[in-house]
């Protein structure tokens, strides 16, 4: 009988770390093993014309930020007011902690100044007393000299022991400042881009819906203000001076050659053109449609 043990397929892999087979990995995926990925559908995407903060249809005034994101005016103004109040409270807390450090520094400097003055006076008085002792021929000076010489080599003497109060009396100003939290920014960040955002930077835009009446019934679909085509995942721009929203293809054909808004007839400059963030769908052509979550593995 042949008792030879044949090597399994796993043990023949380079490195010998026994990787899982495809069937085993697929079976473990349902229990959360390894990186999880899923395909996002249209229900997971934000359609064009919806508020990026409330994720709902914009039924009132719409505004755009310099980054091209669209918000409801009521929602973004409430966000900015709330964030400004939070930043004021954070700045007050930072100033309070910074003032505590400055007060400790001032107290430490005053203490060091008094200490140096006291040391100077004690040395001055000590020199005069030693001179008097030597003049009188006393033995006190010789004893003090002997004790001082022994303190350099005799670490067990009480005079050679470190002073605990003096050791912990140091104050590192730079270390104290570095330990403070970073100061809060002067302006609240944009909810989507993270760039500083001011209230006056909000650009009012005019969104033309497929039906002006009953917006909640048509899904909030937005139309190009010039061609009246539905805007879904196409490239879209907005003109600051007029607030009109139109497809980029229509803009390049009708508005850009004359630098005039086709709807209002107002002149505009290149800096007045804002590229709005495109809407997304479940199709791969609209952008990233896959979500991943990393989980550790055994291999």
């Amino acid at each position: 009988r042949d008792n030879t043990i044949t090597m399994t397929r796993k043990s023949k892999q380079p490195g010998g770390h026994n990787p899982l087979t495809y069937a085993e990995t697929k079976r473990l995926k349902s229990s959360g093993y390894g990186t999880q990925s899923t395909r996002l559908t249209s229900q997971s995407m934000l359609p064009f014309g919806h508020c990026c903060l409330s994720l709902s249809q914009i039924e009132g005034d719409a505004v755009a930020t310099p980054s091209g994101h669209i918000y409801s005016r009521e929602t973004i103004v409430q966000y900015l007011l709330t964030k400004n109040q939070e930043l004021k409270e954070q700045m007050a807390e930072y100033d309070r902690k910074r003032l505590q450090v400055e007060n400790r520094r001032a107290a430490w400097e005053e203490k060091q100044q008094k200490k140096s003055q006291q040391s100077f006076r004690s040395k001055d008085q000590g020199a005069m007393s030693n001179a008097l002792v030597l003049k009188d021929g006393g033995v006190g000076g010789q004893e003090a000299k002997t004790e001082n010489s022994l303190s350099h080599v005799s670490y067990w003497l009480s005079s050679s022991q470190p002073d605990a109060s003096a050791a912990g009396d140091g104050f590192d100003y730079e270390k104290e400042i570095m330990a403070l939290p970073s100061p809060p920014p002067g302006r609240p960040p944009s909810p989507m881009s993270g760039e500083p955002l001011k209230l006056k930077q909000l650009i009012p835009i005019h969104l033309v819906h497929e039906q002006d009446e009953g917006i909640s019934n048509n899904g909030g679909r937005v139309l190009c203000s010039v061609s009246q085509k539905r805007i879904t995942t196409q490239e879209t721009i907005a003109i600051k001076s007029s607030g009109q929203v139109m497809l980029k293809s229509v803009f390049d054909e009708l508005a850009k050659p004359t630098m005039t808004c086709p709807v209002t007839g107002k002149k505009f400059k290149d800096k007045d053109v804002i590229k709005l963030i495109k809407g997304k769908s479940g199709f791969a052509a609209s952008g990233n449609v896959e979500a991943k979550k990393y989980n550790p593995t055994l291999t």
Side-chain angles (χ1 to χ4, degrees), residues 118-140:
Q118 182 67 25
S119 176
F120 175 78
R121 286 195 294 266
S122 62
K123 287 182 179 179
D124 188 22
Q125 295 174 0
M128 294 176 61
S129 60
N130 290 336
L132 292 175
V133 169
L134 293 175
K135 183 178 180 180
D136 296 338
V139 295

Side-chain angles (χ1 to χ4, degrees), residues 191-230:
M192 299 300 295
S193 64
E195 297 294 329
L197 183 63
K198 288 183 178 181
L199 187 62
K200 65 179 181 180
Q201 289 179 317
L202 300 179
I203 305 162
I205 58 176
H206 178 63
L207 296 179
V208 179
H209 293 87
E210 193 169 14
Q211 293 178 358
D212 291 337
E213 297 181 359
I215 294 177
S216 59
N217 297 327
N218 60 16
R221 301 186 185 95
V222 180
L223 304 178
C224 174
S225 60
V226 180
S227 64
Q228 299 300 309
K229 292 182 179 179
R230 183 184 299 177

